[in-house]
Amino acid sequence: MTKHKKLIARAGCLHLALSIPLYALAVPDAPALRGVVTDRHGRALEHADVLVQDAGGNTIAHAQTGSDGRFEVGRLTSGTYALIIDAQNFSSNTRIETIEAGKPREIDIALEQGSALDVNIDAQRLDRARNGFQPDIGASVYRVTQSDIDVMPQGQNTPLNQVLLQMPGIANDSYGQLHVRGDHADLQYRINGILIPEPISGFGQSFDSRIVGQLNLVTGALPAEYGYRTAGIVDIKTKAGELGQGGSIDVYGGSHQTLQESADVFGSQGPLSYYFSGSHGVNNLGIESPTASGSPPHDHTQRSNGFGYMSYIVNPLTRVSVMFGTSTNWFQLPNTPGLPIQYSLQGVSSVDSRNLNETQSELNNFAVIALQGTNGGKLDYQIALSTRYSRTQFNPDTIGDLSFNGVASSDFHSDQTNGLQTDFVYRLNEKHTLRAGVMAQQEHADFNHSVSVFPVDANGNQASDVPFGINDSSSKSGYLYSAYLQDEWKLTDKLRLNYGMRYDKLNEYVDASQLSPRIGLIYQPTNATTLHAGYARYFTPPSFELVSPSTIGLFNGTTNQSAGTQNDPVKPERAHYFDVGLEQKLTQNLTVGLDAYYKIAHDLLDEGQFGTALIFTPFNYRHGRVYGVELTTSYKKDNVSAYLNIAYSRAQGKNVQSAQFNFESDELSYIAGNWVFLDHDQRLTASFGGAYTFGNTTLSADGIVGSGLRSGFANTDKQPFYAQLDLGAIERFNEPYIGKFSARLVLVNAFNRVYQLRSGSGIGVQAPQFGPQRAIYAGLTKTF
C-alpha cells in the first residue's frame, strides 16, 4: 500500500467518531481554510500534503504547501471536518476543525519527526475527554502524583493504604483499614475513570502504589455520577507508555525478614501502548501484633500483586483499553502467648497459645475492557465491561480454637461480580455541559462455614468434651442498577453550578431504591481563592459479599450459640450530606484549605469483626450523625515540599436495626436508647510530611497522629493518643555501564513509640492490635 493510500485508510476511520453527518459540496462562496505547516522549530515545510475529509471519511479536498509552508483550501461549506497533514520524514498530524460561513479559518500546524507524536497527541486528547467524565464541583479533591509517592520514605513500596493516610480526614485502623470522614471503609476505587468492584474485605492490599501516575481522593458532596460507595472516591490514573519506553526493577527489605521484589515496564508500539507491573514479598509482620512485642510469633506473610494496562488508538478519536489485576495474599494470624484454656477437649491436656496455627488466604482478580471516544468537540463517551472474582479462606487451628474459644470454624467466602458502566459528556453550548450514564452490576456470592463446637446445657455450660461439626452453607445472587443525569452550568466566568439526579435500585437481600438529588457550587472570585459548597442525597448498599445469611438456629445448644435470635436483614444506608469549603493560595508556593461536612443518616451502615476470621459483618444503626472539619496546608518551592493536615470528626449511631444476634443483650439495649460512638470514631486525626532535595540526595519524612479509636462497652471508652514518624533518605546515581539507579534507606516509627490501635474491646472488635515498632528497611531501584 502506498503512503498516500495508507493515509487515506487511516483518515477513513474518522467517520465513526464524528457525530453530525455533514456533506461538503463545492460552492462558489464557501469560506476558505488557510494555514501554515512547520517543523517544531518553526521552519516552513514545503510539499506537505493536507487532506480534508467529511464525516463519512470521504476526502473532499487536497492541498500542498508551498516553499513558505502555506496552504489554502477553498470552497467548503460550513461544518466539521478532519484535516490530515503529512510530510516526508515527519509524523502525521490530525486536526478536527469546525468551519463557519463567512469566517475563514487560519491554522498553524507543527509536525514532529518520528512516529510517536501522533499516538501521544491522540492519547492526550482522549485523556482530556476521559477527565471530563468526572467533575469535582461541590466536592473536595486531594491529589497525589507519582513524584509525591517517589519521595515518601518508602517510595513506591509504600502500601496504598499508607499513601491515603497522608490525606486529610482519614483515620488509621488495624488490618489496613481506612476510615474517611467517620465512615467505616465505604471507599470506591476507580482506575482510569472505571469503577472496580470491591473485593471481599480482608486485610490484603489489592492495588500496588507503583501503578499510580496520579491519585485523587474525592470526598464531600459528590456529583451525581458517583454512587455505590460514597465516603471517598479513590481515583487512580495509572502510568502509561505513550511517552516512551522504560521501566524499573526494585529490591526492598530489612526488619521482620522483609524482602520484596518488584518490576514494571512501559512503552508503545505504533498505536498500542502498555504498562505492566508486578511484585512479590514476604515478611514476618503481615498483621499488627496483638501484644506490645515488636516481633509477634506466627506472623509470616506472603503477598503478590500484578497489574496490566494496554490501550490501542483505533483512530485519532477512538481508543480501546484493557486492564487487569491480581493480588494473592497468605497470612499467618499472630498469636498471643499465655492465654488460659477455656474449654476441655477430649485427649488434650495442655495447649500453648503461642503455637496456634490459624491462617487466612485471599485472592482478588479483576479485568476491564473499555471503549472510549470523542468527536473532538461536543460529545465524549466511555463504555466499560468489568469482572471481578474474590475469595477468602480462613483455616482454624482446630485443637487450639476449640480449647480457647469453644469454636473452630473453617470459613470460605467467594464473590463473582460482572458490571457495565457507561458515561457520556455532551457540551450543549458554552454555558452548559451535560453528563449522563448508567451502571448495572450482578454479583453471586458463596458461603461455606464448617464449624466444630461443643454441646452446652440450658445454662450455657459445656456439656461434653467431645466436639461435633455443623456445616452452614449458602449462596445468593444480587443486582444493582444506577443511572444519573446532570448539568454543569457556567453561570459566570467565576461561578459554576453542577446539579443533577441519580437513581439507584438494589435487589439483593432486600429490595430498595432511591432517587437522589445532587447540587454543587464553585466560586472563584480570584485566581487565588476557590469556594465550594454542595448537598448530596446518598444511597449506600451494604457489602453484598459480607452479608452471610447464617442460620442462627443451627447453633442453638452449642458453644457457638448467639446471645440473641433477632437477625433483621441489613439495609442500604440513606443519608443527607452537606459540605462547604475554601481553598486559598496565600503565596505562589503556600496553599491552605478549610472544609466542613455534616451527614444525617438513616440505617447508618457499620461493620464489625464478630468472629475469629478476619472477615467483617455489616449491620445498621437506625439513626446516624457524622460531622467534622478539615484543615489542609501544602508548600512547594524548588527543591522543598511540605504538607500538614488536621481533622476533627465525630461519628455516632443509635439503635442497632440488623444482625442483632452479634451483640450481647445488655449492649444492644444500651445502644437502643443512647447515641454511641462508632468503633472507628477518632476525634483528632493529623498527617504531615515533607521532602528536601539537594544534588542527587533527597531527605523525606511523613507521619500520622491520632487521638485513638473507640473501645470498651458500647464504645464508651477510647484508645490513647498515638503518633508515628517515618524517615527516609534517597541517593540517585548515574554510573558508567550501570546507568541510572537509586538507593533508599527507611526508618519506620523513628522514635519507637509503642502504641495500641485496638484493645480487643468495643463494638465488633475481636482482638487487640498494636502499631509497628521501629524498623529499618533499605532498597535499590534500577531504572531503564
Side-chain angles (χ1 to χ4, degrees):
M1 183 182 290
T2 66
K3 182 177 180 181
H4 183 70
K5 290 181 178 178
K6 287 182 180 178
L7 194 59
I8 295 175
R10 177 185 173 196
C13 297
L14 290 171
H15 75 278
L16 297 175
L18 296 173
S19 60
I20 304 174
L22 303 172
Y23 299 94
L25 301 175
V27 295
D29 299 322
L33 180 66
R34 307 183 185 94
V36 59
V37 179
T38 65
D39 64 12
R40 65 186 182 91
H41 300 293
R43 295 184 291 245
L45 294 182
E46 188 177 6
H47 302 308
D49 289 310
V50 180
L51 299 182
V52 181
Q53 293 187 339
D54 63 11
N58 304 304
T59 300
I60 49 90
H62 170 259
Q64 195 172 71
T65 59
S67 59
D68 58 357
R70 294 190 173 276
F71 70 91
E72 180 172 333
V73 178
R75 302 170 62 187
L76 295 177
T77 60
S78 298
T80 301
Y81 299 90
L83 276 71
I84 301 173
I85 303 93
D86 194 19
Q88 188 173 7
N89 299 324
F90 287 83
S91 59
S92 299
N93 198 341
T94 302
R95 297 279 294 267
I96 305 300
E97 298 292 341
T98 299
I99 307 300
E100 297 183 19
K103 296 182 179 180
R105 188 72 170 164
E106 295 282 348
I107 301 172
D108 294 333
I109 300 166
L111 299 184
E112 288 273 356
Q113 289 185 315
S115 60
L117 182 66
D118 276 345
V119 174
N120 188 23
I121 290 175
D122 296 340
Q124 289 179 359
R125 178 191 301 115
L126 290 163
D127 284 345
R128 288 193 297 270
R130 183 168 61 196
N131 293 339
F133 295 132
Q134 299 175 276
D136 49 38
I137 295 175
S140 302
V141 185
Y142 307 102
R143 295 177 174 86
V144 171
T145 65
Q146 176 188 345
S147 59
D148 295 328
I149 295 175
D150 287 341
V151 299
M152 286 182 170
Q154 298 188 73
Q156 295 187 54
N157 291 295
T158 309
L160 188 61
N161 67 311
Q162 294 183 29
V163 173
L164 292 169
L165 276 175
Q166 297 307 309
M167 295 185 174
I170 301 185
N172 189 27
D173 203 348
S174 54
Y175 311 140
Q177 295 180 92
L178 301 173
H179 307 294
V180 180
R181 291 190 168 189
D183 272 293
H184 185 106
D186 194 25
L187 284 173
Q188 177 184 143
Y189 289 86
R190 292 189 175 215
I191 299 181
N192 296 328
I194 299 170
L195 187 151
I196 306 299
E198 64 181 335
I200 295 174
S201 299
F203 43 88
Q205 296 289 317
S206 296
F207 303 117
D208 200 325
S209 297
R210 72 185 60 256
I211 75 172
V212 174
Q214 178 171 306
L215 184 153
N216 296 340
L217 175 66
V218 188
T219 64
L222 303 175
E225 68 260 48
Y226 296 116
Y228 189 52
R229 300 282 168 254
T230 52
I233 311 300
V234 181
D235 183 28
I236 299 172
K237 180 182 178 182
T238 64
K239 298 175 183 177
E242 289 94 351
L243 299 180
Q245 314 286 331
S248 67
I249 299 174
D250 182 275
V251 178
Y252 181 80
S255 299
H256 308 293
Q257 298 185 27
T258 298
L259 180 61
Q260 177 168 298
E261 307 92 13
S262 307
D264 62 3
V265 62
F266 58 86
S268 61
Q269 185 67 41
L272 175 69
S273 64
Y274 57 87
Y275 173 77
F276 300 104
S277 172
S279 65
H280 174 74
V282 297
N283 64 67
N284 284 343
L285 191 60
I287 302 176
E288 292 87 352
S289 174
T291 70
S293 169
S295 299
H298 195 262
D299 200 7
H300 187 65
T301 297
Q302 298 183 39
R303 299 183 180 183
S304 298
N305 286 72
F307 177 79
Y309 173 75
M310 295 179 291
S311 69
Y312 185 83
I313 305 293
V314 178
N315 59 53
L317 302 177
T318 311
R319 170 168 62 186
V320 175
S321 303
V322 175
M323 59 182 167
F324 54 87
T326 182
S327 65
T328 59
N329 306 289
W330 180 85
F331 298 88
Q332 291 179 335
L333 273 64
N335 296 327
T336 303
L339 293 178
I341 292 178
Q342 301 293 326
Y343 296 88
S344 298
L345 177 62
Q346 186 182 56
V348 176
S349 58
S350 65
V351 180
D352 187 349
S353 60
R354 172 184 289 272
N355 299 322
L356 295 181
N357 186 28
E358 296 174 331
T359 63
Q360 184 159 315
S361 61
E362 302 172 357
L363 171 67
N364 293 302
N365 296 329
F366 74 90
V368 174
I369 182 169
L371 174 66
Q372 186 210 340
T374 175
N375 70 354
K378 288 184 174 293
L379 178 68
D380 304 327
Y381 65 89
Q382 182 166 268
I383 302 170
L385 296 172
S386 64
T387 184
R388 190 264 294 137
Y389 175 77
S390 178
R391 65 168 173 80
T392 296
Q393 173 72 56
F394 173 78
N395 303 302
D397 182 306
T398 303
I399 293 176
D401 286 358
L402 284 170
S403 300
F404 294 109
N405 304 317
V407 179
S409 179
S410 174
D411 300 323
F412 175 83
H413 283 199
S414 71
D415 189 270
Q416 176 76 49
T417 301
N418 299 306
L420 166 69
Q421 177 186 339
T422 65
D423 297 280
F424 299 89
V425 176
Y426 184 72
R427 297 167 185 83
L428 187 63
N429 50 46
E430 292 184 358
K431 296 287 187 180
H432 295 274
T433 299
L434 304 180
R435 293 179 174 87
V438 297
M439 186 190 81
Q441 184 170 292
Q442 181 267 340
E443 287 192 70
H444 180 80
D446 289 299
F447 310 93
N448 192 335
H449 307 283
S450 298
V451 188
S452 296
V453 292
F454 295 111
V456 298
D457 59 24
N459 297 319
N461 300 313
Q462 184 178 358
S464 170
D465 62 0
V466 179
F468 63 96
I470 297 176
N471 184 262
D472 183 15
S473 301
S474 62
S475 64
K476 177 73 172 177
S477 294
Y479 303 88
L480 180 66
Y481 310 97
S482 303
Y484 71 89
L485 176 64
Q486 63 187 20
D487 174 30
E488 180 181 339
W489 184 5
K490 186 177 179 181
L491 297 168
T492 70
D493 290 339
K494 298 180 178 180
L495 184 64
R496 286 180 293 155
L497 175 69
N498 194 77
Y499 62 98
M501 195 73 69
R502 180 181 183 90
Y503 177 76
D504 293 282
K505 168 68 175 174
L506 174 71
N507 180 10
E508 296 179 343
Y509 290 99
V510 297
D511 290 339
S513 62
Q514 181 173 289
L515 190 63
S516 305
R518 308 281 181 88
I519 186 169
L521 192 68
I522 187 167
Y523 177 55
Q524 294 179 286
T526 69
N527 291 334
T529 305
T530 302
L531 298 97
H532 73 262
Y535 162 78
R537 178 81 166 130
Y538 286 150
F539 177 88
T540 306
S543 298
F544 177 75
E545 72 279 5
L546 300 182
V547 187
S548 177
S550 299
T551 305
I552 301 172
L554 283 176
F555 299 99
N556 290 341
T558 75
T559 45
N560 195 39
Q561 68 182 3
S562 303
T565 59
Q566 190 173 3
N567 184 23
D568 292 329
V570 184
K571 297 175 283 294
E573 177 184 304
R574 304 171 189 267
H576 300 278
Y577 198 103
F578 305 88
D579 181 273
V580 60
L582 164 70
E583 183 180 280
Q584 178 69 47
K585 289 194 76 165
L586 297 179
T587 70
Q588 186 67 27
N589 310 111
L590 178 62
T591 302
V592 299
L594 188 66
D595 203 280
Y597 60 91
Y598 194 97
K599 182 174 83 168
I600 304 169
H602 183 75
D603 292 328
L604 173 73
L605 277 171
D606 199 359
E607 294 178 4
Q609 182 196 349
F610 295 101
T612 307
L614 301 187
I615 301 174
F616 297 93
T617 300
F619 63 94
N620 299 102
Y621 292 97
R622 170 71 72 184
H623 307 288
R625 58 189 183 195
V626 181
Y627 55 91
V629 62
E630 298 168 352
L631 172 67
T632 65
T633 64
S634 64
Y635 176 84
K636 191 164 188 178
K637 182 179 180 181
D638 300 329
N639 58 340
V640 178
S641 63
Y643 61 90
L644 170 65
N645 305 310
I646 302 174
Y648 172 91
S649 176
R650 303 308 272 157
Q652 295 177 300
K654 184 178 181 181
N655 195 4
V656 175
Q657 290 294 295
S658 59
Q660 297 93 332
F661 70 94
N662 291 298
F663 296 79
E664 297 293 333
S665 58
D666 57 344
E667 193 171 49
L668 202 61
S669 178
Y670 179 85
I671 299 171
N674 297 275
W675 286 97
V676 298
F677 292 105
L678 308 187
D679 71 282
H680 53 269
D681 173 81
Q682 183 166 266
R683 180 172 298 180
L684 292 174
T685 302
S687 60
F688 59 92
Y692 173 64
T693 299
F694 54 98
N696 294 323
T697 305
T698 298
L699 302 178
S700 65
D702 62 39
I704 55 174
V705 178
S707 60
L709 303 172
R710 308 305 301 190
S711 61
F713 173 81
N715 296 337
T716 52
D717 201 357
K718 62 180 287 295
Q719 291 298 106
F721 184 97
Y722 68 89
Q724 178 180 324
L725 174 67
D726 300 339
L727 303 175
I730 311 163
E731 185 70 24
R732 300 171 183 85
F733 302 89
N734 191 356
E735 301 295 330
Y737 306 109
I738 300 176
K740 294 182 179 181
F741 69 96
S742 62
R744 182 183 301 267
L745 185 65
V746 181
L747 184 62
V748 171
N749 197 355
F751 296 119
N752 203 29
R753 292 180 60 100
V754 180
Y755 62 93
Q756 190 175 36
L757 279 171
R758 291 292 192 183
S759 66
S761 65
I763 298 172
V765 179
Q766 179 71 17
Q769 291 94 30
F770 283 76
Q773 296 192 23
R774 182 185 292 142
I776 300 176
Y777 303 98
L780 287 173
T781 303
K782 173 68 178 74
T783 57
F784 55 89

